[in-house]
């Protein structure tokens, strides 16, 4: 059976982006050959690491994270208009994966960023892989903007949450887009601690830190506007904006298939739920691909 040459578009959406790992694994299992990837924000991070051939290394690392580990990866910022500098996480990933030049990757790759002063969409497809990823994940108020020559770059999801356009000249047989801002669903995986976390006794200091994490992440199960914190409100506002932009972009470019991950599957900072989110992405991809294949045969 000949593999289907595929361009893959990976969307923005915080910790929901871990579902991209499951989607990629499902595509490979079903015989799709990914030849080009474009991504915004977490889509750029996962897509860039996959293009470098290190997705399994990253998945093994992120699956081991617990909530306190996530906090340790965040370098607090006292200036720059953001809560975190964003340098520590990139340094850790650069050490784990090894930096590459994008033009030398075995799979074509473009990360999307936004130029702050002009709101212009920037395609980052040359130079340091992790410099491009760092710019693409610079979510306003969360991670500090990234100076790049005469430009200042911020999160790519602000202007193009599902960037199909960079893949149009990739000569693939199919273009598959993964939208992390799909409609909320009433029954998605519960936000539960892993068995390992449940078995560990919590010191008062550790519990205080974990409680603090809960105050800055998106409370996806609390829809009462009056009870939303600043970062809850900011994250939900960005999700609403990205949903609207995504609809316009997908209507303009019409990829072969769109795999949708519901926006309420997890909170923005829920990276410690990696195993669950990877499995969820695999399941959603499997269902979407099976449905598309049935329609083709009909």
């Amino acid at each position: 059976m000949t593999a289907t040459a595929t361009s893959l578009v990976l969307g923005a959406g915080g910790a929901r982006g871990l579902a991209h790992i499951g989607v990629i694994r499902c595509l490979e299992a079903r015989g799709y050959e990914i030849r080009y990837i474009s991504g915004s924000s977490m889509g750029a991070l996962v897509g860039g690491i996959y293009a470098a051939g290190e997705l399994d290394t990253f998945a093994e690392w992120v699956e081991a994270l617990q909530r306190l580990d996530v906090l340790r990866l965040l370098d607090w910022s006292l200036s720059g208009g953001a809560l975190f500098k964003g340098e520590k996480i990139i340094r850790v990933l650069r050490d784990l994966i090894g930096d590459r030049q994008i033009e030398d990757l075995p799979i074509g790759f473009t990360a999307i960023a936004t130029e702050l002063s002009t709101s212009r969409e920037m395609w980052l497809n040359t130079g340091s892989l992790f410099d491009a990823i760092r710019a693409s994940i610079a979510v306003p108020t969360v991670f500090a903007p990234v100076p790049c020559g005469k430009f200042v770059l911020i999160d790519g999801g602000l202007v193009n949450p599902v960037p199909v356009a960079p893949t149009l000249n990739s000569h693939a047989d199919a273009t598959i887009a993964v939208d992390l801002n799909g409609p909320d669903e009433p029954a998605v995986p519960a936000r539960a601690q892993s068995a390992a976390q449940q078995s560990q006794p919590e010191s008062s200091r550790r519990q205080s830190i974990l409680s603090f994490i809960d105050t800055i992440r998106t409370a996806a199960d609390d829809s009462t506007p009056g009870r939303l914190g600043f970062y809850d409100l900011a994250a939900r506002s960005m999700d609403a904006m990205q949903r609207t932009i995504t609809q316009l972009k997908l209507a303009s470019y019409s990829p072969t298939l769109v795999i949708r991950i519901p926006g309420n599957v997890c909170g923005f900072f829920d990276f410690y739920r990696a195993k669950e989110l990877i499995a969820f992405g695999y399941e959603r991809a499997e269902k979407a691909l099976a449905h598309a294949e049935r329609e083709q045969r009909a």
Side-chain angles (χ1 to χ4, degrees), residues 253-277:
Y253 293 106
S254 300
T256 311
L257 176 66
V258 180
I259 299 169
R260 288 189 166 88
I261 305 298
N264 65 333
V265 72
C266 71
F268 186 90
F269 292 102
D270 287 356
F271 291 94
Y272 65 92
R273 296 174 60 197
K275 287 184 180 180
E276 171 192 342
L277 292 166

Side-chain angles (χ1 to χ4, degrees), residues 2 13 20 26 44 57 78 90 95 97 110-111 121 126 131 145 219 275:
T2 304
H20 289 320
C26 183
T57 302
L78 300 178
I90 291 297
D95 290 343
I97 303 300
T110 297
E121 180 177 330
T126 60
D131 285 354
K275 287 184 180 180

Side-chain angles (χ1 to χ4, degrees), residues 178-246:
V178 185
D179 174 16
L180 299 181
N181 293 289
D184 288 355
E185 297 181 8
V188 294
R191 183 181 289 163
Q193 287 184 316
S194 68
Q197 289 172 311
Q198 291 173 345
S199 66
Q200 292 179 356
E202 304 286 7
S203 67
S204 59
R205 180 174 179 274
R206 178 183 173 90
Q207 188 57 52
S208 296
I209 294 172
L210 297 180
S211 296
F212 173 75
I213 297 173
D214 287 338
T215 68
I216 62 173
R217 71 182 188 183
T218 301
D221 55 351
D222 181 3
S223 58
T224 308
R227 296 179 62 184
L228 292 178
F230 175 78
Y231 283 95
D232 294 337
L233 182 59
R236 292 196 184 190
S237 299
M238 184 173 292
D239 286 346
M241 177 191 69
Q242 289 181 345
R243 284 191 179 109
T244 301
I245 298 173
T246 294

Side-chain angles (χ1 to χ4, degrees), residues 120-142:
R120 188 170 56 138
E121 180 177 330
M122 303 288 286
W123 292 10
L124 308 177
N125 48 28
T126 60
S128 163
L129 172 62
F130 278 104
D131 285 354
I133 289 172
R134 172 64 185 89
S136 191
I137 67 170
V139 180
T141 75
V142 178

